[in-house]
Amino acid sequence: MASKAQPTKSGTSGATKGLPKYTVPSLTPQTGAKVAAVLQERLHALNDLHLTLKHIHWNVVGAHFIAVHEMIDPQVDAVRLMVDAIAERIATLGVAPVGTPGALVAARSWDDYAIGRAGAIEHLRALDEVYVGVIESHREAAEATEELDAVTNDLLIGHLHELELFHWFVRAHLESSGGSLEGAPTQ
């Protein structure tokens, strides 16, 4: 037997415009929608990261080509799994995930990756910046969901572990023996 949406204070159904008709047990439709909105932003960012990583994989050249080319593919695969997990969590919350290219481009607040065919170090410097942005915004999303939904928060924290590891791989290529990052601004 299907349960009916609980009435709100105004007497209207909880399944109002913009809210999911259902969500996971123990969350309200309002909370489910809020968490799904946070996740939708992450879905766009990780889809963009996936495409950027593959772009670098195809366009890296030079002395460090094979090292970077082979380092990138496992990152692509892992980010694709993150994308799938986030999209499935959005759907579990009762909201339709949006993964179309047009929606990604319309929603993103960052610039498109601008480097084409180039040397490994040039790509890795740019990828370092990409990872900083993705990790910072992923951490903000984890903080935003901490009090709302432990399952989503745990998902995002798990992703942060992998993203930070991949960022370290990139930075290891840029680090000098003295510990500074090649091409990093001086402070």
Side-chain angles (χ1 to χ4, degrees), residues 5-177:
Q6 295 295 315
T8 62
K9 288 181 183 175
S10 65
T12 61
S13 166
T16 59
K17 185 176 181 175
L19 293 179
K21 291 184 182 351
Y22 66 89
T23 192
V24 296
S26 80
L27 294 186
T28 66
Q30 291 83 359
T31 301
K34 186 174 183 178
V35 171
V38 170
L39 288 174
Q40 183 61 58
E41 292 174 7
R42 305 318 314 136
L43 183 65
H44 289 317
L46 290 176
N47 266 326
D48 189 82
L49 176 60
H50 159 257
L51 293 169
T52 298
L53 288 167
K54 206 57 184 172
H55 174 83
I56 293 166
H57 173 83
W58 296 323
N59 287 289
V60 67
V61 296
H64 303 286
F65 160 77
I66 199 66
V68 174
H69 184 79
E70 290 185 353
M71 176 183 73
I72 295 292
D73 258 350
Q75 294 180 29
V76 168
D77 293 341
V79 171
R80 286 181 66 197
L81 290 173
M82 290 177 202
V83 165
D84 196 48
I86 284 180
E88 289 175 355
R89 183 67 186 159
I90 293 169
T92 301
L93 292 166
V95 177
V98 181
T100 61
L104 187 164
V105 171
R108 73 179 180 189
S109 59
W110 56 92
D111 293 330
D112 202 10
Y113 190 81
I115 301 171
R117 193 162 186 80
I121 298 304
E122 185 178 354
H123 273 298
L124 291 174
R125 278 190 208 120
L127 185 55
D128 176 48
E129 290 180 34
V130 169
Y131 269 123
V132 167
V134 169
I135 290 167
E136 286 177 350
S137 58
H138 221 74
R139 193 172 291 281
E140 289 170 7
E143 290 171 8
T145 61
E146 188 173 13
E147 299 295 321
L148 297 174
D149 179 29
V151 173
T152 298
N153 181 256
D154 184 61
L155 176 70
L156 294 170
I157 289 171
H159 291 172
L160 278 165
H161 170 77
E162 285 188 278
L163 292 167
E164 289 175 355
L165 182 68
F166 298 154
H167 190 212
W168 171 58
F169 293 169
V170 169
R171 285 190 163 180
H173 283 271
L174 300 173
E175 188 176 354
S176 72
S177 59

